[in-house]
Amino acid sequence: MTDHAPPTGIFLLAYGTPESLDDVEPYFTHIRGGRTPSPEAVANLRERYRLVGGRTPLKDLTFAVADRLQARLDAQSPGRYRVYVGMKHWHPFIAETVPRIARDGVREVVALVLAPHYSRMSVGGYRKYLDEANGALPQPLQVTFIERWHDDPGFRRLIADRITEARVTLPPDLRNEALVLFSAHSLPERILSWNDPYPDELRESAAGIAALLGLTDWRLCYQSAGMTGEPWLGPDILDYLEELHNEGVRAVISAPFGFVADHLEVLWDIDHEAQEKAAELGMTLRRIRMPNADDEFVDVLVALLRAALGKRL
């Protein structure tokens, strides 16, 4: 790159998380498209955040990923790439970050959602916010959007390794028989009428990871369904644990592979609700360590960017 060529932007997109209990209501309102949730719903969500320490490390972890990715890119191509973070539902919002990218003189951006599996409702929502913000610029950025990476070999190997690591933490008599239970965020069942690829990508991804481990029996379920009054994809993990218990399963390795970081859906829904359910049933549950900002996860992101940028990275 010449000294005058602008850097290429790398735009990491994450869900967002409230930074204090006082942020929960406006955060929840944004998720609901500006519709104020009921006081009861706000109180329930606030209590969950309170019980996991008042906030989650999602924002900190996302910026740590960005810092480590920036360092890795600088080591390979000094000055050629600039990494940014934008959030879907909290600060720094995607719409706040896009103008800053443009002000920095960046003209070309590769956007990557930190969620492996595509759905129009989830990943498509990130793209909508990005397209709206970009369209409002006097000179829109040239955007390459990485929509999905559920089939990335590095991602599958990372989750497989974390499953192996979790298995070792089980009592010796349970290690070989522990069932791997993959989970991802549920979405409303109406996505099926769109021929949305989300359920298929989850199954393909789980099957690919299971194949790496030589698993002949593994299961896939959903978690964190919203209380919206409409049907959501299932089975839900709490119900499914009962079903597994009835099958005689004594130990479960929870692999919430639809997420990449410790946030409420992991720290509360798995570490509190699912753990409590397992304990009630007399089952042992171990959760895999999330990718978070680990070097192995940065390796995955570099490989994804290399595929998107071709020989330039």
Side-chain angles (χ1 to χ4, degrees):
M1 180 176 100
T2 67
D3 291 343
H4 302 292
T8 296
I10 306 298
F11 197 12
L12 301 181
L13 307 177
Y15 196 80
T17 184
E19 295 175 65
S20 71
L21 293 180
D22 289 340
D23 292 334
V24 170
E25 183 171 355
Y27 166 75
F28 200 177
T29 301
H30 192 274
I31 290 172
R32 288 169 49 84
R35 303 184 309 279
T36 304
S38 69
E40 295 78 14
V42 173
N44 180 272
L45 189 57
R46 278 178 62 102
E47 180 65 4
R48 293 183 177 200
Y49 276 101
R50 187 187 70 79
L51 290 170
V52 298
R55 65 190 295 270
T56 74
L58 175 64
K59 180 177 178 180
D60 298 338
L61 289 168
T62 305
F63 275 90
V65 169
D67 289 344
R68 293 187 178 188
L69 180 59
Q70 184 71 68
R72 186 79 63 85
L73 296 174
D74 284 344
Q76 296 179 9
S77 306
R80 187 166 184 177
Y81 301 97
R82 191 170 298 175
V83 182
Y84 299 87
V85 169
M87 301 286 183
K88 191 178 188 182
H89 293 300
W90 199 243
H91 304 283
F93 287 109
I94 292 168
E96 295 172 340
T97 308
V98 168
R100 183 163 69 86
I101 296 173
R103 287 196 299 271
D104 286 347
V106 172
R107 303 303 323 140
E108 180 186 0
V109 170
V110 179
L112 173 61
V113 179
L114 297 179
H117 311 89
Y118 178 84
S119 168
R120 194 177 95 191
M121 183 170 282
S122 57
V123 174
Y126 289 91
R127 186 159 202 167
K128 178 175 178 289
Y129 283 123
L130 175 54
D131 288 347
E132 288 173 353
N134 193 34
L137 295 175
Q139 185 180 355
L141 304 167
Q142 179 183 333
V143 177
T144 299
F145 196 100
I146 300 173
E147 280 197 334
R148 52 172 54 79
W149 41 281
H150 72 287
D151 55 352
D152 177 74
F155 166 68
R156 292 185 177 182
R157 172 49 62 188
L158 171 58
I159 300 301
D161 288 346
R162 297 292 163 98
I163 290 169
T164 299
E165 175 187 272
R167 191 179 296 278
V168 174
T169 70
L170 285 163
D173 63 316
L174 295 177
R175 288 176 190 169
N176 290 336
E177 67 175 79
L179 183 78
V180 176
L181 182 58
F182 295 96
S183 65
H185 204 300
S186 184
L187 293 174
E189 279 186 5
R190 57 188 154 92
I191 71 165
L192 301 178
S193 68
W194 311 338
N195 292 320
D196 195 282
Y198 186 64
D200 288 339
E201 289 196 3
L202 291 172
R203 283 189 289 269
E204 291 168 12
S205 186
I209 295 164
L212 291 174
L213 296 167
L215 300 179
T216 55
D217 189 14
W218 52 270
R219 308 294 174 86
L220 172 65
C221 64
Y222 294 90
Q223 60 171 95
S224 315
M227 299 293 104
T228 61
E230 65 179 313
W232 285 57
L233 297 173
D236 180 82
I237 188 170
L238 300 182
D239 299 329
Y240 203 51
L241 286 172
E242 287 198 25
E243 189 171 321
L244 294 176
H245 171 68
N246 292 337
E247 288 183 25
V249 173
R250 297 194 299 155
V252 167
I253 297 172
S254 168
F257 74 145
F259 311 96
V260 297
D262 291 326
H263 50 74
L264 196 68
E265 286 79 0
V266 173
L267 300 176
W268 175 260
D269 297 355
I270 299 295
D271 292 357
H272 281 258
E273 289 190 323
Q275 278 286 9
E276 287 181 4
K277 186 68 173 181
E280 286 174 15
L281 297 167
M283 301 169 72
T284 300
L285 185 148
R286 293 285 190 274
R287 172 176 64 79
I288 65 168
R289 194 162 52 92
M290 302 305 288
N292 288 330
D294 296 349
D295 286 338
E296 300 95 325
F297 185 47
V298 177
D299 291 341
V300 171
L301 300 183
V302 170
L304 292 170
L305 293 169
R306 181 173 288 120
L309 289 164
K311 296 179 180 178
R312 291 177 291 165
L313 179 58

